[in-house]
Amino acid sequence: MKKSLIILAMTAATIHGITTAEPTKIILESEALKFGDGKSFGITGNHIGFTLQVARKLDQLLFGSKNKSGHYTGIFTFRGEPHSIRTLALLEKELLALPNLDQATKNDLANMLIEIKNTFNETVLPFIKHTHGIRPMILTLIEESCQKRNRMDSFLFTWGKCREGAEAETINKSFHSVVELDRFVTDLIGFLTDFANSCPKAYKQFVDMVNNKQK
């Protein structure tokens, strides 16, 4: 875990550059955020470290891994071809629009969706467990982030309010297409970006922690 945080910090000075999905910088102004930023009972450098790690991993799920030439390769495989969530969402939409889509293809798409859900849950659950102590604050920040991004119909609201420990089950039951999951992952990356950008004190703690580890 510590090694992962060091790698992330060396990769970028801020969360910008870590994610492909969210270049827009939005600062959250919640009083709860201002009060909890950098405090041991609120948002700490460890929270920022987890946020950076999850944001980058989600970006790789959504767009794929970037190689030296600047091209992206998806981490999922569908019928022998590499895909990201984004390319699979486009392919799913195209295939489901066909008038006589065969059952085998439908089954393959359904199995692919299950694999994506499982990978998503494995990626975010460690972060969720790390935020259990600040869940009320997180819900307030989700609302502000969605308002500023004009995404008040985002599933983030439902997911954020689900019973603690039921996050994976909620994902598995609520999404029935890759297109839906693409939208949700995009929203989540946006929120994580806003969260990290809006916690300067906690972010400084994170940077200091990394610098101390490198000494």
Side-chain angles (χ1 to χ4, degrees):
M1 174 60 193
K2 292 178 180 177
K3 183 178 180 181
S4 297
L5 296 181
I6 291 173
I7 292 174
L8 282 170
M10 292 175 65
T11 304
T14 67
I15 197 168
H16 291 301
I18 287 180
T19 62
T20 304
E22 194 43 63
T24 304
K25 186 173 183 178
I26 289 178
I27 302 298
L28 305 178
E29 300 173 349
S30 166
E31 289 301 319
L33 179 67
K34 294 177 182 178
F35 179 74
D37 181 22
K39 294 185 172 66
S40 60
F41 56 81
I43 302 167
T44 67
N46 284 329
H47 290 112
I48 297 301
F50 273 102
T51 299
L52 295 173
Q53 184 181 52
V54 173
R56 185 170 186 176
K57 286 184 177 180
L58 288 176
D59 191 72
Q60 290 175 341
L61 298 186
L62 189 61
F63 292 105
S65 298
K66 188 176 182 180
N67 58 30
K68 294 181 180 179
S69 63
H71 295 98
Y72 289 84
T73 301
I75 69 169
F76 301 102
T77 301
F78 183 76
R79 294 190 167 182
E81 296 292 331
H83 280 279
S84 63
I85 291 178
R86 179 58 49 85
T87 61
L88 283 167
L90 295 172
L91 179 62
E92 176 190 71
K93 188 175 182 179
E94 179 181 331
L95 290 173
L96 292 179
L98 297 176
N100 299 305
L101 184 64
D102 61 277
Q103 189 60 46
T105 301
K106 292 180 181 179
N107 292 341
D108 287 345
L109 288 172
N111 290 333
M112 189 74 260
L113 179 59
I114 292 173
E115 181 181 343
I116 294 173
K117 289 178 181 178
N118 289 338
T119 304
F120 173 85
N121 286 328
E122 291 171 0
T123 300
V124 301
L125 286 185
F127 172 77
I128 292 173
K129 291 178 181 178
H130 204 66
T131 64
H132 280 174
I134 58 171
R135 179 66 69 90
M137 185 188 303
I138 292 295
L139 290 175
T140 299
L141 300 178
I142 285 176
E143 181 175 4
E144 183 181 352
S145 175
C146 288
Q147 286 177 342
K148 290 187 174 182
R149 292 181 177 279
N150 195 28
R151 289 289 302 145
M152 294 305 294
D153 61 342
S154 174
F155 188 76
L156 277 175
F157 288 108
T158 301
W159 191 56
K161 294 177 182 177
C162 73
R163 174 176 51 85
E164 289 189 0
E167 292 88 358
E169 179 184 2
T170 301
I171 291 296
N172 292 336
K173 290 183 176 180
S174 301
F175 290 97
H176 307 290
S177 71
V178 182
V179 171
E180 293 174 350
L181 199 54
D182 178 296
R183 180 67 267 184
F184 174 66
V185 173
T186 301
D187 287 345
L188 181 54
I189 292 174
F191 167 69
L192 293 174
T193 304
D194 297 344
F195 177 73
N197 280 329
S198 304
C199 301
K201 294 178 182 178
Y203 193 91
K204 185 179 184 302
Q205 290 177 357
F206 167 68
V207 173
D208 290 344
M209 178 178 64
V210 172
N211 289 337
N212 289 334
K213 292 295 180 182
Q214 291 177 317
K215 290 180 180 179

